[in-house]
Amino acid sequence: MLFSQIPRTSLLTEPTLLEKAAHFGDTIGHSSLWIKREDVMGLGMGGNKVRSLEFWLGEALEKSCDIVLAAGLPPSNLCRLTAAACCRLNLDCEIIHNAAPSNTNPRRGDSRFLYDLMGVRQIYCGPVDEQARKAFVEERAQELKEQGRNPYILGDPVVGALGYVAAAQELLFQAEQKHIDLRHVFISASAGPTEIGLLFGLRLMGGPDLHVHLVSVEYPAHTFWPIAQEIWQGLCQKLHVTPPLSLQYNTHFYEEYLGPGYAKHSPETWLALRLLARTEGIFLDTTYNAKVFAGLTDLCQKGRLPTDEAVVIFHTGGVPTLLMREE
Ligand SMILES: *Cc1c(COP(=O)(O)O)cnc(C)c1O
């Protein structure tokens, strides 16, 4: 078994839904669109990070860690889901935000509201960059060690990617059960763990005709590929297996849907979000998934994607951020 030597804790009890989006498909002129609903999960309003947390927190438990540290901007999905998972596993955690502290009471529509409900501690280290935030987290971990605690710093990209190797296995099995001749998979490309884990799993267990479409929401190609290569190598080592197909074989990377940049929306983002809401009653976040749906729509309309070959689009979650006031 692929994961038999690897620590993992169970946070997802069922496979996520694989739903046909017929009305959306008709509207953009595609006859076989399916959505992998990673936004619908039992824990903490769901999202891709839950799958990674199975392996991150599996490792934390194996190492007998008694406090988990996770860092991100205030609306971070990673932070929200880490807090939720720690509540479920009865693990202590601290969430560190690189933002100015907020003095007001948490209210609905603030990113702090859900942490307040969960009773999880948030620390604000000021509006610094990721490098400085990382240093702050390491200092905090050191401080905790001096107090006799055993902290786990969350976020190793290779460990996180394992969650999406597992998702690839789940998807291939589901497609077979539903008799879908899967030819295209779409997913956002950002820091790497999710999309490279998925790609690795699809290349390991799927057929050679499968095209994987990565829609960048953060980096240009020349920044993305070296990160991707490193995670891919890390997975080969961790799982003691090398996929028969290479990282770039039938993989398509799009920079042109990034718009004004990471987490910045554009008219196309909102068009895609409205279109999916109006045709399927499904909501998207503006940072990741609306850009993927905008890209898919554009490729269909330009005739760059065959309109009768089965497509699965990963909806990675993030919808709670849609309801947050911009801070
Ligand atoms: C973190 C996140 C992603 C991107 O995952 P990476 O592994 O960083 O590429 C995509 N969608 C949502 C909703 C996320 O929270």
Side-chain angles (χ1 to χ4, degrees), residues 194-205:
T194 306
E195 60 276 21
I196 300 306
L198 182 69
L199 193 56
F200 189 94
L202 292 174
R203 292 316 177 211
L204 193 61
M205 296 169 272

Side-chain angles (χ1 to χ4, degrees), residues 1 24 33 55 76 98 139 182 186 195 221 262 270 321:
M1 282 297 292
F24 173 65
L33 288 187
F55 290 92
S76 158
N98 47 328
E139 267 170 49
L182 180 58
F186 277 75
E195 60 276 21
Y262 179 72
W270 286 102
T321 60

Side-chain angles (χ1 to χ4, degrees), residues 70-102:
L73 290 166
S76 158
N77 298 306
L78 170 69
C79 291
R80 180 187 83 253
L81 288 164
T82 302
C86 287
C87 287
R88 181 171 290 185
L89 298 173
N90 193 20
L91 261 171
D92 197 4
C93 82
E94 281 181 355
I95 301 296
I96 294 152
H97 299 302
N98 47 328
S102 167

Side-chain angles (χ1 to χ4, degrees), residues 189-269:
S190 180
T194 306
E195 60 276 21
I196 300 306
L198 182 69
L199 193 56
F200 189 94
L202 292 174
R203 292 316 177 211
L204 193 61
M205 296 169 272
D209 314 331
L210 184 64
H211 291 262
V212 179
H213 303 264
L214 305 179
V215 178
S216 178
V217 302
E218 187 161 6
Y219 297 124
H222 67 89
T223 312
F224 178 78
W225 287 116
I227 300 173
Q229 190 69 43
E230 207 166 307
I231 296 174
W232 181 275
Q233 293 301 338
L235 286 170
C236 291
Q237 282 165 14
K238 210 171 247 309
L239 294 170
H240 306 291
V241 61
T242 302
L245 302 168
S246 73
L247 170 60
Q248 281 171 315
Y249 179 84
N250 275 349
T251 305
H252 311 270
F253 185 88
Y254 306 94
E255 300 180 345
E256 57 265 48
Y257 305 112
L258 179 55
Y262 179 72
K264 298 206 171 74
H265 30 81
S266 63
E268 291 75 26
T269 323

